[in-house]
Amino acid sequence: MNTKRIQSGLPFMKMHGLGNDFVVIDARAGVDPVTPSLARALGDRHRGVGFDQLAVIRPAQGADFTLDFWNNDGTRAGACGNATRCVSDYMMRQLGRADVTLLTERGQLSAVRREDGMVSVNMGAPILEAAQIPILPGIDPAHLPLGGDPIAVGMGNPHCVFFVDDAEAVEVDRQGPVIEHDPLFPERTNVEFASVIGLDHLRMRVWERGTGITLACGSGTCATAVAAHLRGLTGKRVLVDVDGGQLEIDWRDDGVWMTGPTAHVFDATLTQDFLDAI
């Protein structure tokens, strides 16, 4: 890695949404320093900082900021809903506003802070066409040819949603990686296991592509809510219980809105010695 442009270390922030945790680097004032090797080193919970996703803030034309995402295995992620909510909250506080617009691989998104302090983000319309999710050509996304009859939904990244009698009983650590790497998914997939626990109320557990089990997954929660409505299990507005807490999902005409709490835990700086060793 070329560290000449980071002579005095690299500042970062640690945030989380319902335990779905992130390292956030604000690169608006300079060159984006993130490489796959830096993402992997940062994501190591024993030798680095540790995160479920890495988010990088960059400048934007026509929006308040751009947001890029990395997994802790050094691969890129197209979307991360909880990180989007956390960084949007940070940017709203910095700009002195209760709303922001941002650019991601999904295009322009918007976020607002509600009066109760919760942050909502519009994650955009769900992607339901096979080629765009993506899954292999000729496969029906509504009924994937896998045991359990899952649904494929795109939310800027691919998701495979299983509906089960009891999400708590699923061996996510065993089944998740197998489905993630199934040949049906040319770019691999996130995997969700959900069960209905009440009227418009779901319980979901998740295996995230390139990361593993996480306490929450914003895009996965949105994909699960969309899939539940398509299966006739819920309406378009649902509560979803994840390992780290609860998210509100509202599939509206303008996109899928996700609402929940955010936390900015601390600010710190990576040492130059750490950067030089990558």
Side-chain angles (χ1 to χ4, degrees), residues 4-276:
K4 290 183 179 179
R5 58 180 179 257
I6 317 173
Q7 292 298 324
S8 59
L10 180 62
F12 70 93
M13 298 173 279
K14 189 69 184 289
M15 301 179 180
H16 78 84
L18 297 177
N20 191 191
D21 69 326
F22 320 103
V23 164
V24 180
I25 295 174
D26 191 341
R28 286 175 294 163
V31 177
D32 180 357
V34 179
T35 62
S37 58
L38 176 59
R40 287 191 295 270
L42 266 174
D44 189 322
R45 294 188 184 276
H46 301 287
R47 296 178 174 86
V49 178
F51 59 74
D52 291 331
Q53 270 80 35
L54 168 63
V56 183
I57 309 171
R58 296 191 295 105
Q61 291 187 345
D64 293 310
F65 61 100
T66 297
L67 202 53
D68 298 328
F69 306 105
W70 295 78
N71 297 312
N72 63 21
D73 67 353
T75 58
R76 295 294 296 268
C80 183
N82 285 318
T84 301
R85 290 191 308 99
C86 287
V87 175
S88 293
D89 185 50
Y90 165 76
M91 290 296 296
M92 283 186 274
R93 295 178 189 280
Q94 190 175 85
L95 296 172
R97 292 173 15 209
D99 61 271
V100 289
T101 58
L102 64 144
L103 298 178
T104 72
E105 285 189 14
R106 293 230 64 194
Q108 183 164 305
L109 305 178
S110 58
V112 299
R113 185 187 299 107
R114 297 194 318 195
E115 291 185 359
D116 63 2
M118 297 286 192
V119 175
S120 302
V121 61
N122 183 352
M123 294 290 290
I127 300 167
L128 304 176
E129 295 78 24
Q132 296 179 27
I133 292 174
I135 60 174
L136 290 181
I139 302 297
D140 180 5
H143 296 280
L144 296 176
L146 296 170
D149 188 29
I151 300 179
V153 177
M155 287 301 309
N157 47 17
H159 296 269
C160 178
V161 183
F162 290 83
F163 291 101
V164 297
D165 291 334
D166 182 7
E168 305 291 350
V170 176
E171 294 179 293
V172 178
D173 59 343
R174 182 178 64 84
Q175 297 188 43
V178 174
I179 302 300
E180 176 189 352
H181 294 276
D182 191 280
L184 278 174
F185 308 101
E187 297 180 6
R188 299 182 293 157
T189 188
N190 296 272
V191 189
E192 289 80 28
F193 301 92
S195 51
V196 178
I197 59 175
L199 181 64
D200 293 335
H201 195 176
L202 301 171
R203 170 70 171 109
M204 186 204 79
R205 299 173 66 203
V206 61
W207 175 272
E208 289 201 51
R209 175 186 63 169
T211 297
I213 294 174
T214 60
L215 296 181
C217 174
S219 63
T221 306
C222 292
T224 298
V226 168
H229 180 71
L230 293 176
R231 282 283 168 93
L233 300 174
T234 67
K236 287 192 168 184
R237 187 170 185 174
V238 298
L239 295 177
V240 183
D241 294 348
V242 295
D243 287 351
Q246 188 176 82
L247 289 165
E248 303 173 27
I249 308 297
D250 189 3
W251 183 7
R252 307 177 194 169
D253 292 340
D254 64 344
V256 182
W257 285 82
M258 176 182 58
T259 303
T262 64
H264 184 155
V265 184
F266 63 84
D267 300 334
T269 302
L270 297 170
T271 66
Q272 192 62 43
D273 286 344
F274 176 83
L275 296 169
D276 288 341

